[in-house]
């Protein structure tokens, strides 16, 4: 008997309980700019998303694109700075942020998913009032906090067999355009959908302890303790804060994992040990 076939059959039989567990589940995947990698890594991510849809999971992709925004701002000679993990966003900057995120980055992901046989639909928080925002803090300019969501629109996209790919741009009630941190947007969308899982894809294997070892599972209290001790620092702070906030608002569990690792999403959902760090009460 063909050895490859046997190995695939064994893998599949082990995955069966997980396929049953996630049948009909909603999984929100935050795809950060640093997790995107080259075309081959993008294609691998897209294959995972399409496979999820085929086996009965409802994937909802929310993306970032910080490095791509930086590149375009540099080309246009516009200076940019971050305060507390958020980009200070003036009127000129928000135009570039929307063009890069809703344009190039969103369509690159949509095209990659469709090339793998999926039916992705690229939108932003502006479409169908998906994510109405208010200004986060006047010092940050056009940075928004989601205050009102339209999950029904996402349910209808899933029911139509499509995969929503969402750029983290929100509309204000006075016609403003708001730049929303990708993790914040993903958390708000996952909460509005009462998602079974929120996967935060980044460029490290998971949350590390003081010795640099990746922790396979932590509780919200342990995450708070690691932050107070300074072990969780930098860009990992807003990520774990998003995770805890999403869990307080209806998301069952959150996983922080390396989006560039082959089959990261599928390994997380369909194997016993998963991938990355599971944050669960
Ligand atoms: N305890 C920790 N475990 C893992 N990464 C950490 C930790 N503390 C700080 N970090 C940093 O957080 C970074 C991830 O955040 P960030 O760069 O903002 O990700 P992204 O761009 O994917 O949103 C990691 O690359 C790492 O340098
Ligand atoms: C307010 C704010 O900071 N918005 C982010 C939006 C993109 C993002 O979050 O991208 P990553 O997920 O790749 O970091 C920004 O302007 O960079």
């Amino acid at each position: 008997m063909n050895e490859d076939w046997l190995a695939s059959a064994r893998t599949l039989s082990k995955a069966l309980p997980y396929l049953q567990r996630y049948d009909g589940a909603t999984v929100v995947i935050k795809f950060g700019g640093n997790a995107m990698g080259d075309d081959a890594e993008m294609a691998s991510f897209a294959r995972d998303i399409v496979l999820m849809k085929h086996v009965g999971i409802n994937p909802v992709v929310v993306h970032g694109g910080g490095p791509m925004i930086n590149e375009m701002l540099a080309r246009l000679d516009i200076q940019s700075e971050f305060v507390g993990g958020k980009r200070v966003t003036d009127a000129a900057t928000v135009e570039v942020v929307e063009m890069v995120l809703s344009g190039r980055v969103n369509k690159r992901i949509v095209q990659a998913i469709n090339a793998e046989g999926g039916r992705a639909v690229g939108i932003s928080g502006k479409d169908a009032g998906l994510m109405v925002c208010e200004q986060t803090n006047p010092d940050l300019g056009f940075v928004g906090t989601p205050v009102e969501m339209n999950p029904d629109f996402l349910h209808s996209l899933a029911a139509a067999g499509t995969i929503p790919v969402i750029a983290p741009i929100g509309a204000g009630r006075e016609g403003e355009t708001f730049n929303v941190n990708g993790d914040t947007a993903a958390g708000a969308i996952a909460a509005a959908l009462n998602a079974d899982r929120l996967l935060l894809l980044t460029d490290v294997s998971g949350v590390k302890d003081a010795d640099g070892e990746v922790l396979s599972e932590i509780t919200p209290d342990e995450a708070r303790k690691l932050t107070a001790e300074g072990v969780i620092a930098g860009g990992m702070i807003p990520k774990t804060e998003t995770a805890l906030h999403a869990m307080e608002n209806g998301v069952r569990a959150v996983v922080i994992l390396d989006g560039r690792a082959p089959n990261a999403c599928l390994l997380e959902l369909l194997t016993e040990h998963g991938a990355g760090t599971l944050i669960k009460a």
Side-chain angles (χ1 to χ4, degrees):
M1 182 152 318
N2 181 315
E3 285 297 315
D4 282 352
W5 186 88
L6 258 184
S8 306
R10 274 197 206 104
T11 309
L12 194 63
S13 69
K14 282 193 190 144
L16 267 179
Y18 303 98
L19 288 168
Q20 280 158 357
R21 180 195 291 176
Y22 289 112
D23 190 29
T26 296
V27 176
V28 175
I29 304 107
K30 192 285 179 143
F31 196 27
N34 285 319
M36 283 172 202
D38 60 19
D39 286 348
E41 286 162 332
M42 175 68 84
S44 158
F45 167 81
R47 268 194 296 282
D48 276 17
I49 299 295
V50 173
L51 206 115
M52 272 186 219
K53 186 75 180 173
H54 279 315
V55 301
I57 298 170
N58 288 315
V60 174
V61 178
V62 182
H63 63 84
M68 296 79 187
I69 298 169
N70 291 342
E71 198 188 303
M72 187 55 77
L73 288 173
R75 266 206 243 173
L76 297 170
D77 212 11
I78 298 175
Q79 307 300 318
S80 192
E81 61 160 335
F82 282 82
V83 173
K86 301 201 168 97
R87 188 188 304 275
V88 180
T89 306
D90 64 11
T93 304
V94 81
E95 270 190 36
V96 177
V97 170
E98 184 174 35
M99 284 194 281
V100 171
L101 294 182
S102 278
R104 183 70 192 120
V105 177
N106 187 276
K107 296 313 160 199
R108 185 176 172 223
I109 300 167
V110 165
Q111 196 170 9
I113 293 174
N114 293 347
E116 297 299 330
R119 287 213 295 143
V121 174
I123 55 175
S124 82
K126 282 187 173 178
D127 292 272
L130 173 60
M131 188 167 70
V132 177
C133 292
E134 283 175 3
Q135 190 179 46
T136 302
N137 170 349
D139 294 343
L140 297 175
F142 293 101
V143 170
T145 300
V147 288
E148 200 185 310
M149 313 295 290
N150 180 2
D152 288 347
F153 174 55
L154 294 179
H155 290 307
S156 64
L157 286 178
T162 61
I163 300 168
V165 175
I166 306 166
I169 300 290
R173 293 202 175 91
E174 309 296 326
E176 315 94 309
T177 296
F178 282 117
N179 176 13
V180 184
N181 171 273
D183 292 333
T184 308
I189 289 165
L193 289 168
N194 280 321
D196 296 272
R197 283 283 184 281
L198 167 61
L199 308 185
L200 296 173
L201 270 46
T202 181
D203 61 353
V204 280
S205 312
V207 178
K208 295 176 183 168
D209 65 14
D211 300 323
E213 296 291 323
V214 173
L215 297 157
S216 62
E217 187 168 343
I218 53 173
T219 62
D221 279 346
E222 284 163 345
R224 283 184 202 102
K225 188 163 169 276
L226 288 170
T227 306
E229 290 166 354
V231 175
I232 289 178
M236 197 48 75
I237 296 176
K239 240 172 254 307
T240 45
E241 275 174 359
T242 295
L244 303 193
H245 188 251
M247 287 167 65
E248 281 159 15
N249 287 282
V251 175
R252 242 142 275 154
V254 181
V255 185
I256 296 177
L257 67 166
D258 189 346
R260 301 158 312 165
N263 302 116
C265 296
L266 289 184
L267 286 175
E268 170 50 39
L269 295 174
L270 303 181
T271 64
E272 187 186 348
H273 297 296
T277 304
L278 174 72
I279 309 179
K280 201 164 182 273

